[in-house]
Amino acid sequence: MYDVIVVGGSFAGMSAAMQLARARQNVLVIDAGTPRNRFADEAHGFLGQDGRAPAAIMRDVRCQLLRYPTVEVMSGEAVGTRALGAGFAVELSGGGEHRARRLILATGVSDQLPAIPGMYERWGETVLHCPYCHGYEVRDLPLGVVAAHPMSAHQAMLIPDWGPTTYFTQGLFEPDTAEIDAFAARGITIERTPVVELAGDAPALDGVRLADGRFVRVAAVFTAPRTDPATPLATMLGCVHEDGPTGPYVKVDQWGATSVAGVWAAGDTATPMHNATLASAAGVLAGIGAHQASVRAKAG
C-alpha cells in the first residue's frame, strides 16, 4: 500500500508528488496523459518556464521526480475509487487497482465551449480563455470576447490592454448601465447580433460571421467555457462541491483537504481560478497537507 496516490500528472499533481517525494513518502502518480493545456503550444506566465511547451515542462518534471526512490509514475486512467478501512482503492481503466492511505485528486476539468462552429478547432490557439496566459501573443490585433456567462463583461474589461476589443453579447449577456459606461471608457465596441461562425483557415482566425450575415474581423477571441470535473472520482468519494462562475469545483480548505477525510484536491478541479502557477501552488499545499496528516496519525 502506498502512502499517497496522486491522480493527475500535470502542474498540480506533480507539484504535490514532489513535496511528498522529498518527505520520503511512498507515492504513486497516475497520469492519464490528457491535461487541459494539451491544446496550447506554449505555456506563459509560469516562472522560469515562459514560452515552453507544457508537454516539455512535464517531461522534465517527470525526470526530476523519478530521481526520488520512493516515487512511481504510471501512465493510465483512473476510472473508479472507493474508501477502504485503511485508506482508498483506485481502479484503472485497463483493470486492476492500487491502494493508498491517502489520495490527492489533481484531475482537472474539461472545457465545454460555446456551440459555435469553428470554436473547437481553434481552442488554445486563437480561441482563448485567459488573457494573462495568452493575451501577449495576440497583442495589438483586433480581439473579440464571445460572452458565455454573466461574468463575460468582466473578462471583456481586461482585453483592451492587449488589443482593440469587441464584446459579442450573443443576445444573452447584455452589459448593465455601469458596464456600458466602463466599456466606453475602455474603447470596447458592443455587438449584440450573435456570432454564428468563426471563419478562416483554422487554427488561424480571420473573423466571425454574425447571424445577420455581417463579417467582423478579429484575429482571436476570448471566451469562458463551461467547466466540468474531468473525472467523477471526487463525486464517487462523496466530496462536497461548490458552484463556480463557470462550473462546479471540489470544496477544499487552505491545505487542499476535501470534505472526505484522507482526500485532498488541487488544481483546476478544486478552484474557480484556473492558472498553471496557481495549480502548482495548490499542489504544493496539498502534498504538504497530506504528509502532515500522516505525521499526525503516527503521533497518535
Side-chain angles (χ1 to χ4, degrees):
M1 177 179 283
Y2 295 95
D3 292 316
V4 183
I5 290 177
V6 178
V7 184
S10 193
F11 289 98
M14 290 303 211
S15 294
M18 181 65 75
Q19 305 308 308
L20 292 161
R22 294 187 57 77
R24 305 175 70 187
Q25 301 288 286
N26 292 310
V27 183
L28 173 64
V29 179
I30 301 174
D31 180 16
T34 54
R36 186 187 188 192
N37 59 22
R38 65 190 182 276
F39 301 103
D41 291 334
E42 296 179 345
H44 295 285
F46 195 92
L47 192 65
Q49 302 292 337
D50 189 60
R52 294 194 68 205
I57 296 172
M58 287 301 106
R59 282 195 298 270
D60 288 350
V61 168
R62 181 181 285 221
C63 289
Q64 292 167 8
L65 193 57
L66 289 175
R67 294 173 189 165
Y68 292 89
T70 61
V71 178
E72 297 177 43
V73 179
M74 169 184 295
S75 296
E77 182 183 4
V79 295
T81 184
R82 67 186 189 282
L84 302 171
F88 303 90
V90 177
E91 303 161 18
L92 301 177
S93 61
E97 67 177 28
H98 295 278
R99 299 185 176 193
R101 295 175 181 85
R102 283 163 290 282
L103 289 181
I104 295 177
L105 303 178
T107 47
V109 297
S110 61
D111 295 298
Q112 308 300 321
L113 293 169
I116 300 171
M119 278 273 180
Y120 276 96
E121 53 265 48
R122 294 174 172 85
W123 180 232
E125 297 287 341
T126 53
V127 174
L128 309 165
H129 78 291
C130 174
Y132 298 103
C133 301
H134 303 291
Y136 191 81
E137 282 60 49
V138 293
R139 64 194 181 277
D140 300 326
L141 299 174
L143 305 175
V145 174
V146 177
H149 67 81
M151 289 189 65
S152 291
H154 168 73
Q155 184 182 41
M157 281 290 296
L158 303 175
I159 305 304
D161 282 351
W162 287 274
T165 302
T166 300
Y167 177 68
F168 299 94
T169 72
Q170 295 303 94
L172 298 171
F173 302 100
E174 177 70 20
D176 60 29
T177 301
E179 289 168 338
I180 290 173
D181 291 342
F183 278 18
R186 294 283 280 158
I188 299 169
T189 299
I190 300 173
E191 177 55 69
R192 293 176 172 84
T193 303
V195 173
V196 295
E197 181 186 10
L198 276 62
D201 187 11
L205 177 63
D206 293 337
V208 297
R209 188 80 57 191
L210 304 184
D212 60 8
R214 286 182 294 130
F215 184 83
V216 178
R217 188 166 297 280
V218 292
V221 296
F222 291 84
T223 193
R226 164 80 184 183
T227 56
D228 294 304
T231 77
L233 299 182
T235 299
M236 289 178 178
L237 292 166
C239 297
V240 172
H241 288 68
E242 295 190 304
D243 290 325
T246 63
Y249 61 94
V250 180
K251 182 179 181 180
V252 297
D253 70 7
Q254 68 268 30
W255 292 100
T258 72
S259 60
V260 176
V263 180
W264 284 257
D268 289 358
T269 197
T271 178
M273 297 180 291
H274 301 157
N275 175 280
T277 302
L278 296 177
S280 182
V284 169
L285 291 172
I288 292 172
H291 173 245
Q292 293 188 1
S294 172
V295 171
R296 290 192 295 271
K298 292 175 181 177

